[in-house]
């Protein structure tokens, strides 16, 4: 496979970041998926942009993703689609539509079907809508923050970085002595008391019958 890289006359100032669950990096280039994805945005979602092209393609594993539990499933690919014009109203509406999904990790594959699902499914793209982001380089230069990375669902690093340092989580220690008493000791004591009482009742009943027989 041969890749030809050409310099762009106008660099993309706006990018759409998406993750696709049913593809690997090599699938994007082997089956002409990059052109199909560009067509979806050019013909439907981002008609206002005079130039649209793929700016980044990277495995989800390289940005903190995990291998799927089923070895037959794809590892997933993260793609950025760049444009030189501002985001269209359709893209902004789509971002608001998937906003409630951002806190779900992992993102259920069929949890949410968006209003534009058919555009991607028709080209055999299975999107992880929890990872959908609109990234503006102008916002980055003005405010000094990279819009879309601070609350990234599976990575806190840029796609251009080769280093992944996961945040450490300090879990508070918990004393399970009380849980042990409640779940083991108390039920065992109750069973013992009931067993003793039942045994006494049966013995007394037996003695009473024997005395009547005498």
């Amino acid at each position: 496979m041969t890749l030809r890289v050409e310099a762009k006359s106008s660099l993309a100032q706006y990018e759409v970041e998406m993750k696709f669950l049913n593809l690997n990096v090599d699938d994007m280039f082997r089956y002409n998926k990059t052109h199909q994805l560009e067509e979806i945005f050019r013909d439907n979602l981002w008609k206002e942009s005079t130039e649209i092209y793929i700016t980044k393609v990277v495995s989800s594993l390289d940005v903190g993703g995990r291998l799927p539990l089923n070895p037959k499933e794809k590892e997933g690919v993260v793609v950025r689609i760049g444009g030189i014009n501002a985001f269209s109203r359709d893209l902004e509406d789509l971002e608001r539509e998937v906003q409630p999904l951002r806190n779900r990790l992992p993102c259920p594959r069929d949890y949410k079907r968006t209003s534009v699902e058919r555009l991607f499914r028709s080209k055999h793209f299975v999107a992880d809508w929890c990872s959908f982001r609109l990234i503006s380089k102008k916002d980055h230069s003005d405010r000094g923050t990279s819009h879309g990375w601070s609350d990234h669902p599976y990575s806190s690093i840029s796609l251009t970085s080769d280093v992944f340092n996961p945040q450490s989580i300090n879990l508070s220690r918990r004393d399970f002595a009380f849980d042990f008493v409640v779940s083991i000791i108390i039920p065992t004591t109750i069973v013992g008391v009931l067993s003793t009482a039942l045994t006494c009742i049966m013995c007394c009943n037996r003695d009473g019958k024997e005395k009547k027989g005498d």
Side-chain angles (χ1 to χ4, degrees):
M1 181 175 62
T2 303
L3 298 179
R4 185 178 63 182
V5 180
E6 298 179 354
K8 293 290 183 180
S9 57
S10 301
L11 296 179
Q13 297 297 316
Y14 302 88
E15 292 178 300
V16 180
E17 182 178 289
M18 299 188 68
K19 177 182 177 182
F20 299 106
L21 303 172
N22 64 323
L23 298 170
N24 290 338
V25 172
D26 55 336
D27 297 328
M28 291 296 298
F29 299 100
R30 184 181 302 168
Y31 303 114
N32 205 30
K33 288 294 185 180
T34 55
H35 295 294
Q36 294 179 10
L37 188 59
E38 290 172 356
E39 288 178 356
I40 293 175
F41 283 86
R42 186 181 299 111
D43 299 339
N44 299 278
L45 299 177
W46 208 349
K47 298 178 182 179
E48 295 82 355
S49 185
T50 56
E51 188 173 2
I52 294 176
Y53 57 92
I54 303 296
T55 60
K56 285 184 175 67
V57 178
V58 64
S59 170
S60 63
L61 302 181
D62 294 333
V63 288
R66 298 179 180 178
L67 282 171
L69 297 178
N70 186 351
K72 295 182 180 180
E73 294 182 357
K74 301 286 186 176
E75 63 188 31
V77 61
V78 178
V79 183
R80 283 190 182 180
I81 305 95
I84 61 176
N85 295 91
F87 297 121
S88 65
R89 183 173 181 177
D90 291 334
L91 288 175
E92 292 176 344
D93 290 342
L94 180 58
E95 186 182 40
R96 284 190 290 269
E97 182 180 351
V98 301
Q99 183 75 30
L101 301 178
R102 288 192 177 178
N103 294 329
R104 297 185 63 88
L105 182 64
C107 187
R109 177 169 294 200
D110 294 321
Y111 173 77
K112 174 73 173 179
R113 297 297 180 89
T114 66
S115 57
V116 299
E117 186 80 28
R118 57 181 178 80
L119 299 177
F120 293 91
R121 293 277 179 164
S122 63
K123 301 291 186 180
H124 305 290
F125 288 101
V126 179
D128 179 351
W129 293 110
C130 301
S131 307
F132 182 86
R133 293 291 186 278
L134 299 183
I135 303 171
S136 173
K137 292 186 177 180
K138 289 187 176 181
D139 292 340
H140 174 66
S141 60
D142 292 343
R143 296 196 293 264
T145 58
S146 178
H147 175 65
W149 282 112
S150 59
D151 58 344
H152 203 283
Y154 53 86
S155 175
S156 58
I157 61 174
S158 169
L159 292 179
T160 59
S161 174
D162 294 328
V163 180
F164 176 61
N165 295 317
Q167 297 179 353
S168 60
I169 301 176
N170 295 324
L171 299 177
S172 58
R173 300 186 63 180
R174 180 179 175 183
D175 187 3
F176 290 94
F178 178 76
D179 294 337
F180 177 77
V181 172
V182 172
S183 60
I184 302 296
I185 302 300
I186 293 179
T188 303
T189 303
I190 294 175
V191 171
V193 172
L194 292 177
S195 299
T196 303
L198 183 60
T199 302
C200 293
I201 293 173
M202 293 178 64
C203 291
C204 292
N205 189 27
R206 181 178 178 182
D207 292 341
K209 290 182 178 180
E210 290 179 352
K211 290 181 179 180
K212 289 181 180 180
D214 294 339

